[in-house]
Amino acid sequence: NRRKIRIDPVSLLVHTGDFRFAQSTGHCSHHQQLAETRPDCTHVGSRIPFGSAFDRVEPGSTSGRAVIDLRGTMFAVAADQFHHAGNASSGDWKYSFAGQLVEICGGGLSGWCCPKAAATEEAAVKGGWVLQLVWLGDTVGQPRPTAGYAPSPPSSTTVDAIETVAQIQRRLEQVQHKLRLEQDWNVKSFQQSQQRQQESEEAHLQQLEELQAGQIKSTETIQELARRLQLANVKHEEDQQTIRKIEQERAHVYSEVTNAQQDLTFLT
């Protein structure tokens, strides 16, 4: 939240890294060598330059927010001033009120959206003479100031709105973080469930294979017993035939003995 911004009256460039009339509630973890502890912020890190939006959430994220509001002055932001950069970055900027209001969003896995003249990461973090303004007073016959011009401070309504947006943004970031944690937990639980199911299926398959192997072995055993029984039956039949032959021969011998005894009796 800035009450004043630093402008070069000749070039109409804004120094986005001048915080003398700014109150900061956020910080940037990029370039720790720029880290600082400030009485107006409990975080440790570098402050976010004017007209810049940072976040470190996920690829393509645009949760970082910035607003340039020059309404009530004769200045506007020049066209085509912004870009997004960084790791898996994304960003967007919307001009309205003849360029006096610019709403910026940006971020990424580690990204930002800022004036394109801040071409490097360090320049984006530090800020500098990188934002070009234009003078609107010529259209109403008001001469361009050369020095000492100060825009009107934002109204209490604007300050309250900015603070409300910041609170909503912090709440949104907390909800997004919670959703990411829940998503990670759900993915992990799903993976564990899939692994348990796979292990169970493999165990059941192994049991089925063992059962099938046992059935095959049992079938082979039964077939072998049947074969042996068949051979035993054949042997038994052969033995019965031999016994019948022996009995027939014994009967024949007995008959011959009987006949011989009769012949002997007759002769005597």
Side-chain angles (χ1 to χ4, degrees):
N1 182 15
R2 285 171 167 81
R3 294 182 289 110
K4 298 180 182 181
I5 57 176
R6 184 180 177 187
I7 304 175
D8 183 333
V10 177
S11 64
L12 295 187
L13 286 172
V14 176
H15 194 297
T16 59
D18 192 319
F19 295 91
R20 282 179 291 180
F21 297 95
Q23 181 181 4
S24 177
T25 57
H27 76 287
C28 174
S29 60
H30 296 269
H31 289 281
Q32 291 300 314
Q33 70 272 22
L34 302 178
E36 55 185 327
T37 303
R38 309 190 305 279
D40 61 341
C41 181
T42 59
H43 298 290
V44 175
S46 56
R47 288 176 284 191
I48 305 299
F50 180 68
S52 304
F54 286 72
D55 84 11
R56 178 176 285 181
V57 178
E58 60 186 2
S61 171
T62 57
S63 64
R65 293 288 188 273
V67 177
I68 301 175
D69 189 352
L70 301 177
R71 290 174 294 182
T73 75
M74 286 296 173
F75 291 102
V77 180
D80 193 25
Q81 286 292 294
F82 302 94
H83 75 152
H84 64 81
N87 187 5
S89 68
S90 182
D92 192 20
W93 44 93
K94 178 182 177 182
Y95 284 71
S96 59
F97 294 93
Q100 290 194 300
L101 179 65
V102 183
E103 298 168 283
I104 305 162
C105 63
L109 190 60
S110 179
W112 57 89
C113 183
C114 69
K116 63 172 58 177
T120 66
E121 181 176 4
E122 186 169 352
V125 174
K126 287 183 176 180
W129 298 102
V130 293
L131 180 62
Q132 182 67 59
L133 301 185
V134 294
W135 175 251
L136 302 179
D138 293 337
T139 59
V140 294
Q142 183 170 343
R144 173 177 164 178
T146 56
Y149 180 84
S152 302
S155 64
S156 59
T157 302
T158 302
V159 173
D160 293 341
I162 293 174
E163 291 177 351
T164 301
V165 170
Q167 293 173 357
I168 294 174
Q169 182 61 34
R170 285 194 295 271
R171 178 58 181 165
L172 177 61
E173 291 174 355
Q174 293 173 354
V175 172
Q176 289 176 336
H177 179 66
K178 183 178 180 181
L179 288 176
R180 285 196 303 273
L181 293 178
E182 291 180 351
Q183 183 178 7
D184 293 342
W185 184 86
N186 290 334
V187 170
K188 185 177 180 180
S189 298
F190 176 75
Q191 291 174 344
Q192 292 176 346
S193 176
Q194 289 290 97
Q195 184 177 359
R196 288 194 297 268
Q197 182 178 359
Q198 183 177 359
E199 292 175 351
S200 176
E201 291 177 352
E202 291 176 352
H204 290 162
L205 180 60
Q206 183 177 0
Q207 292 176 355
L208 179 60
E209 291 175 350
E210 292 176 352
L211 179 60
Q212 290 176 343
Q215 289 177 344
I216 292 173
K217 186 175 181 180
S218 299
T219 301
E220 293 175 350
T221 302
I222 293 173
Q223 291 175 349
E224 177 64 20
L225 292 174
R227 187 182 66 83
R228 291 182 181 181
L229 179 60
Q230 185 179 5
L231 292 175
N233 290 334
V234 172
K235 180 65 175 175
H236 177 71
E237 182 63 27
E238 291 177 351
D239 292 342
Q240 289 295 325
Q241 291 179 0
T242 302
I243 291 172
R244 284 194 296 270
K245 287 181 180 180
I246 292 173
E247 289 178 349
Q248 289 176 358
E249 291 178 356
R250 185 176 64 178
H252 179 69
V253 170
Y254 179 77
S255 177
E256 289 182 349
V257 169
T258 300
N259 291 334
Q261 287 178 347
Q262 291 176 355
D263 291 341
L264 179 59
T265 301
F266 178 74
L267 291 176
T268 55

